[in-house]
Amino acid sequence: MKEDLLKSIPEFNLIKDSDLREKVLKVWDIALAAGGWKVSDLQRMPFTLLIDPCPCSMIEHIRGVVNVSVNAAEALQSIYKSKVKINEDYLVAGALLHDIGKLVEYKEENGKFIQTNLGRLVRHPISGVGLCYSQGIPEEVMHIIASHSWEGDRSKRTPEAIIVHHADFTNFEQFK
Ligand SMILES: [Fe+2]
């Protein structure tokens, strides 16, 4: 599973701390098992159910959000230097995990991806944190997951969470 994940999403390797990288991969593994998915299913899985038909897969979306996040962080740091403090490992881990809850928010029935009962009752920013909670994922990374969507609009987002939030919508709205 880990090899398949790394092949599909090479951006896991952008996490420099090997311990954090392994924990992030472990959460992906747990989420895949919880949703009953194979890595290859993520190539077909739409990244959102709000756009039908959705032209963009979960794999593409996650990679898009990681890459926009990393490039935005680089741009900010090149101009503002130490006035903007970004933990790049937390940023990448948060971008990789921001939609992990969607693996339990969706199910496939008769070839169609639909919402699960859990997804209806507990949206992915919350179920995503649930999947991470006992896996040693840093609180800063769980904050990114929890606050990346509108659930986080009332919270004070960290610099990393601000970037992932906007990177997510930047990717989403291209296809809306
Ligand atoms: Fe997303």
Side-chain angles (χ1 to χ4, degrees):
M1 194 80 95
K2 184 178 156 186
E3 294 312 310
D4 291 343
L5 275 171
L6 285 167
K7 209 179 287 174
S8 297
I9 308 175
E11 287 78 8
F12 282 106
N13 291 310
L14 295 174
I15 302 176
K16 295 188 189 80
D17 178 345
S18 59
D19 182 54
L20 179 60
R21 193 190 317 125
E22 289 305 314
K23 285 174 178 168
V24 171
L25 281 160
K26 179 81 194 299
V27 172
W28 267 87
D29 203 34
I30 288 168
L32 283 162
W37 306 108
K38 300 186 295 294
V39 175
S40 57
D41 294 327
L42 304 174
Q43 306 277 8
R44 298 183 298 110
M45 182 186 287
F47 82 97
T48 178
L49 299 180
L50 302 175
I51 302 167
D52 188 24
C54 181
C56 175
S57 73
M58 188 64 76
I59 295 275
E60 288 174 309
H61 175 70
I62 298 302
R63 297 193 66 204
V65 173
V66 173
N67 282 282
V68 170
S69 296
V70 168
N71 283 288
E74 270 177 27
L76 289 167
Q77 285 179 320
S78 76
I79 303 293
Y80 299 111
K81 314 286 185 216
S82 61
K83 285 186 274 189
V84 171
K85 298 202 187 331
I86 296 163
N87 180 310
E88 281 176 38
D89 269 3
Y90 289 168
L91 178 75
V92 176
L96 283 163
L97 288 171
H98 81 281
D99 274 348
I100 196 69
K102 287 191 177 172
L103 273 59
V104 291
E105 188 167 287
Y106 299 170
K107 62 180 175 181
E108 194 175 13
E109 257 178 34
N110 307 319
K112 204 168 162 47
F113 289 87
I114 57 171
Q115 203 175 38
T116 60
N117 188 49
L118 177 71
R120 190 172 61 80
L121 297 171
V122 182
R123 260 171 48 87
H124 64 276
I126 298 160
S127 58
V129 170
L131 288 162
C132 292
Y133 198 74
S134 57
Q135 301 305 317
I137 296 293
E139 291 167 358
E140 290 82 354
V141 176
M142 289 195 285
H143 164 78
I144 297 171
I145 301 165
S147 66
H148 82 270
S149 196
W150 52 259
E151 282 86 350
D153 287 350
R154 297 283 293 274
S155 67
K156 183 167 166 46
R157 292 186 175 100
T158 59
E160 297 85 358
I162 292 167
I163 293 172
V164 173
H165 164 66
H166 287 284
D168 187 31
F169 281 88
T170 300
N171 278 270
F172 171 65
E173 289 181 3
Q174 303 304 323
F175 302 101
K176 213 172 125 186

